[in-house]
C-alpha cells in the first residue's frame, strides 16, 4: 500500500483502540435497488464496457464449440485420421485447451494485481490471437499445430476467465453487479452459439463429401481471432478498475473513474461515499495483512513480486479467507461436473450417437443447441439480481437433473436399435436442449458472478483466479475422460452427471450463502465472517482514518444525499 496508508495509521497514538462498530452501505444499496433498471438505461456505457470486456468470454465459448463441429467434418477427418480415430487422441486435442486454461487462469491473479486488470486482458488477447492462427496453419497428416494452437488459445481464454468477470464486478454498482458480470456468461454463450452455426455453414464450403474444402474447418478458427484483435485495440480506451486504482494508491484517478462510470460529477456525494468505502476496505485489508504477516509485509515494500506472491499465502492463512476460496472453487467444481462441457465439446458426436448418422443433421441439432443456450441465458441476466444466485442455481439444477436422468433411460432402452426408434432419438435431442436451457438459466451466469464477488479486496484477483482455475482443472478432466466414458458406459454417463447435479443442488441449498445486493465491501457480513472483535475495531478505525465516519456523520445531520436519504435515514 502507498505511503498515505501508513500516514493514516499514525493519526492516533500507538495502542489506541476505539470501540466503535463499522458501518455498512446496506441502506444505500436498498435504495438504489428501487431504481436499478432506470440507472442502467440512463447510463448505457457501463453495459458497453462490460460487453466489450467480455469478448474473452466470447473466445472461451467459441473455442468450446468449433472443435465439436470439426470432428464430424469430412475434410477434417480425412486430414487428421489419427486424431478422430482414437478416443485418447480426441480427448487430448480437446483437453489441451484446458491445460493452457489452467496456467492462464492461475497467472491472471498475479498479473491482474501487478499490471492491472486492463493490461492483463491485453496479454490474454495476444495469446488468443497466436493460438487461433497457429491452429489454422496445421498441415494435413501433421496435427502438431492443432495441439499448439489450442494450448496457446487456452492460455488466452484462461487468463480472460480469471480477470474478465473480476473487472466487470469492480466497475459495477452492487445493485446491478449480477447483471453486469453475467455479460461474461452471455458472451460465452454467444460464442458457443455462433461457433455452432458458423461450423454448420462452413461445412458446406466446397461440398459435404470429398469435394469439401480445407477452408471448411479452417474458416471458424480464422474468425475466432477477430474479437481478440478488436479487444486488443479497443482496450486502450477502457478505464482501469477503480478498486485496483485505490489499491495501488491512485486515489484521484479512482475518484475520477468512479464519477465517469456512474455518470456523475466528481464532487457528487454518492461518488465520495463509494470512494471512501473502497478506500477504507483497502486500508483495513492492508493492516490485517501486516498484522498477520509482519515479515512478509516488510518484504513486500521492497519487491512488488514478493508482495503479490505472498498474497497467495494469505488466501489460506485464515479460515474466513479459506472459506471464500473453497466457495469459489466448489462453485466451478459443481458447474463443470454437471456435464455441460461434455455436451458442448462433443455435441455433434452425441447427436450422432442417437442414430443421426448424417453429419449435417447432427450439426443442425448442434446449432439449435447454441440458440437454446442463448435464449435461456438472456432472462437469467435480468433476473439474477432480483431472484438471487441460490434460487437460480437450485432451479436450474432440478431441470438439468430430470433431463439427464430421462436421457439416460432413453439411451439405455433404445441405443441398440435407433433406426427403428427415430422418435426416441429426437426425444433425447429435445431433452438435451432442455438440459442446456437449465444450465443457461442457472449455473451458467450465477457461477461466474459468485466467483467474482465473494472475495475481499486484498485477495479478490488471486481468489478469482483460483476459482477460474477450478473451472479449467475440472474442465480438463471432463474433456479428457468423456470420450472414454461414452465408449464404456454409454447411458451410464448421463446418470453419472445426474449424481453430481444432485450433489451440487444440496451444496447450494445447505452451504452457499446468498450474495445478491451486497456490496463487494460487505461480503464479510454475508459470509458470517468471524474475524473477531479486534478486526471489527480495525475496520472501524480504517473507516475513521479515511474520513468515512466523519463524512456519514455530517450527512446524517439533515443534508440530503443526492435523493438517497434525508435526516433520519438509517445511515
Amino acid at each position: 500500500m502507498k505511503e498515505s496508508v501508513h500516514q493514516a495509521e499514525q493519526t492516533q497514538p500507538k495502542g489506541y483502540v476505539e470501540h466503535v462498530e463499522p458501518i455498512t452501505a446496506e441502506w444505500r444499496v436498498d435504495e438504489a435497488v428501487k431504481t436499478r433498471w432506470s440507472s442502467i438505461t440512463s447510463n448505457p456505457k457501463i453495459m458497453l464496457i462490460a460487453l466489450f470486456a467480455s469478448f474473452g468470454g466470447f473466445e472461451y465459448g467459441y473455442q468450446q464449440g468449433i472443435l465439436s463441429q470439426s470432428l464430424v467434418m469430412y475434410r477434417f477427418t480425412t486430414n487428421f485420421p489419427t486424431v478422430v480415430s482414437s478416443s485418447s487422441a480426441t480427448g487430448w486435442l480437446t483437453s489441451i485447451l484446458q491445460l493452457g486454461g489452467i496456467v492462464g487462469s492461475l497467472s491472471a491473479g498475479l498479473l491482474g494485481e501487478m499490471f492491472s486488470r486492463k493490461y492483463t486482458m491485453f496479454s490474454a488477447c495476444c495469446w488468443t490471437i497466436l493460438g487461433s492462427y497457429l491452429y489454422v496453419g496445421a498441415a494435413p497428416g501433421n496435427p502438431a499445430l492443432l495441439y499448439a494452437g489450442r494450448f496457446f488459445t487456452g492460455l488466452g481464454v484462461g487468463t480472460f476467465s480469471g480477470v474478465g468477470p473480476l473487472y466487470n464486478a469492480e466497475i459495477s454498482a452492487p445493485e446491478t453487479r449480477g447483471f453486469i458480470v453475467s455479460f461474461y456468461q452471455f458472451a460465452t454463450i454467444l460464442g458457443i452459439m455462433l461457433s455452432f452455426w458458423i461450423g454448420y455453414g462452413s461445412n458446406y464450403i466446397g461440398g459435404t463429401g470429398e469435394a469439401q474444402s480445407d477452408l471448411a474447418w479452417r474458416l471458424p478458427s480464422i474468425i475466432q481471432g477477430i474479437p481478440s484483435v478488436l479487444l486488443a485495440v479497443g482496450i486502450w480506451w477502457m478505464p482501469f478498475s477503480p478498486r485496483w486504482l485505490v489499491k495501488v494508491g491512485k486515489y484521484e484517478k479512482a475518484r475520477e473513474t468512479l464519477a465517469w462510470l456512474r455518470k456523475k460529477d466528481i464532487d457528487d456525494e454518492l461518488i465520495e461515499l463509494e470512494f471512501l468505502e473502497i478506500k477504507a476496505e483497502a486500508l483495513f485489508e492492508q493492516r490485517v495483512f501486516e498484522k498477520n504477516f509482519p515479515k512478509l509485509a516488510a518484504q513486500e515494500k521492497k519487491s512488488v513480486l514478493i508482495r503479490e506472491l505472498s498474497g497467495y499465502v494469505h488466501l489460506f492463512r485464515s479460515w474466513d479467507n479459506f472459506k471464500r476460496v473453497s466457495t469459489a472453487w466448489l462453485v466451478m467444481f459443481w458447474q463443470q461436473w454437471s456435464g455441460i462441457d461434455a455436451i458442448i465439446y462433443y455435441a455433434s458426436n452425441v447427436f450422432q450417437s442417437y442414430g443421426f448418422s448424417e453429419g449435417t443433421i447432427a450439426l443442425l441439432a448442434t446449432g439449435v443447441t447454441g440458440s437454446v443456450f442463448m435464449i435461456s441465458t438472456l432472462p437469467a441476466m435480468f433476473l439474477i439480481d432480483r431472484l438471487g444466485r441460490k434460487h437460480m442455481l437450485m432451479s436450474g439444477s432440478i431441470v438439468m437433473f430430470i433431463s439427464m436422468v430421462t436421457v439416460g433411460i432413453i439411451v439405455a432402452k433404445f441405443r441398440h436399435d435407433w433406426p427403428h426408434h427415430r422418435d426416441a432419438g429426437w426425444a433425447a435431442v429435445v431433452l438435451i436442449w432442455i438440459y442446456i436451457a437449465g444450465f443457461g438459466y442457472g449455473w451458467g451466469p450465477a457461477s461466474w458472478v459468485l466467483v467474482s464477488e465473494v472475495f475481499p479486496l486484498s485477495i479478490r484477483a488471486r481468489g478469482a483466479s483460483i476459482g477460474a482455475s477450478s473451472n479449467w482443472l475440472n474442465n480438463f478432466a471432463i474433456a479428457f475422460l468423456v470420450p472414454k466414458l461414452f465408449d464404456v458406459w454409454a447411458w451410464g454417463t448421463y446418470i453419472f452427471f445426474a449424481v453430481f447435479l444432485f450433489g451440487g443442488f444440496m451444496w447450494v441449498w445447505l452451504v452457499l450463502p446468498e450474495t445478491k445486493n451486497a456490496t463487494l465491501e460487505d461480503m464479510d457480513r454475508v459470509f458470517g465472517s468471524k474475524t473477531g472483535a479486534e478486526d471489527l475495531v480495525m475496520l472501524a478505525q480504517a473507516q475513521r482514518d479515511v474520513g468515512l465516519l466523519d463524512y456519514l456523520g455530517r450527512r446524517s445531520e439533515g443534508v440530503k444525499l443526492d435523493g438517497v436519504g434525508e435526516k433520519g435515514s438509517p445511515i
Side-chain angles (χ1 to χ4, degrees), residues 87-96 98 345-346 474-485:
S87 60
S88 295
T90 302
W92 271 114
L93 182 60
T94 305
S95 59
I96 198 169
Q98 281 68 43
Y345 286 134
Y346 303 105
N474 290 289
N475 200 321
F476 167 76
I478 289 170
F480 184 72
L481 291 175
V482 161
K484 293 182 180 294
L485 288 178

Side-chain angles (χ1 to χ4, degrees), residues 70-89:
S70 299
L71 290 174
V72 297
M73 288 184 181
Y74 179 86
R75 188 54 59 192
F76 186 88
T77 59
T78 55
N79 283 351
F80 308 105
T82 57
V83 172
V84 298
S85 62
S86 167
S87 60
S88 295

Side-chain angles (χ1 to χ4, degrees), residues 158-381:
T159 303
F160 277 130
S161 70
V163 76
L166 173 69
Y167 176 83
N168 282 352
E170 292 189 341
I171 66 171
S172 63
E175 65 274 7
T176 59
R177 189 173 59 250
F179 175 72
I180 296 300
V181 175
S182 62
F183 269 97
Y184 186 85
Q185 179 65 14
F186 168 79
T188 301
I189 304 309
L190 179 63
I192 292 172
M193 183 189 74
L194 290 180
S195 73
F196 284 165
W197 286 114
I198 289 171
Y200 176 70
S202 65
N203 183 57
Y204 289 94
I205 298 177
T208 57
E210 293 184 4
Q212 190 177 65
S213 168
D214 283 344
L215 190 60
W217 66 265
R218 285 188 170 127
L219 180 62
S221 192
I222 293 172
I223 294 173
Q224 174 185 290
I226 296 174
S228 285
V229 172
L230 295 175
L231 180 56
V233 174
I235 205 166
W236 300 99
W237 284 271
M238 293 170 61
F240 289 95
S241 160
R243 287 171 170 83
W244 179 81
L245 289 170
V246 166
K247 187 165 185 179
V248 297
K250 298 182 179 181
Y251 299 130
E252 288 307 311
K253 184 65 176 177
R255 188 185 277 107
E256 292 172 4
T257 302
L258 276 174
W260 185 81
L261 287 169
R262 303 292 180 259
K263 204 176 178 181
K264 293 180 180 293
D265 188 82
I266 194 171
D267 296 321
D268 187 276
E269 293 168 319
L270 290 180
I271 295 300
E272 183 67 14
L273 178 58
E274 186 174 2
F275 168 73
L276 290 176
E277 289 171 355
I278 297 170
K279 190 176 179 182
E281 177 165 340
L283 176 58
F284 165 69
E285 295 293 343
Q286 175 66 16
R287 288 174 174 176
V288 169
F289 182 78
E290 291 175 351
K291 181 185 74 172
N292 293 332
F293 303 96
K295 293 182 179 179
L296 288 177
Q299 289 179 322
E300 73 170 354
K301 298 171 186 175
K302 304 174 184 177
S303 170
V304 174
L305 181 61
I306 290 176
R307 180 189 72 198
E308 300 306 334
L309 288 175
S310 65
Y312 280 94
V313 179
H314 195 34
L315 287 174
F316 304 98
R317 178 66 181 266
S318 71
W319 170 247
D320 289 323
N321 284 349
F322 180 74
K323 186 163 61 174
R324 313 286 184 92
V325 173
S326 300
T327 298
W329 202 92
L330 286 170
V331 163
M332 285 305 177
F333 172 85
W334 294 117
Q335 186 219 56
Q336 283 301 305
W337 287 97
S338 70
I340 185 61
D341 282 331
I343 301 299
I344 298 301
Y345 286 134
Y346 303 105
S348 300
N349 303 73
V350 168
F351 293 137
Q352 278 189 331
S353 73
Y354 299 157
F356 302 103
S357 57
E358 305 91 338
T360 52
I361 293 179
L363 286 172
L364 177 61
T366 304
V368 174
T369 299
S371 299
V372 170
F373 220 152
M374 172 63 68
I375 293 170
S376 62
T377 300
L378 285 172
M381 293 176 63

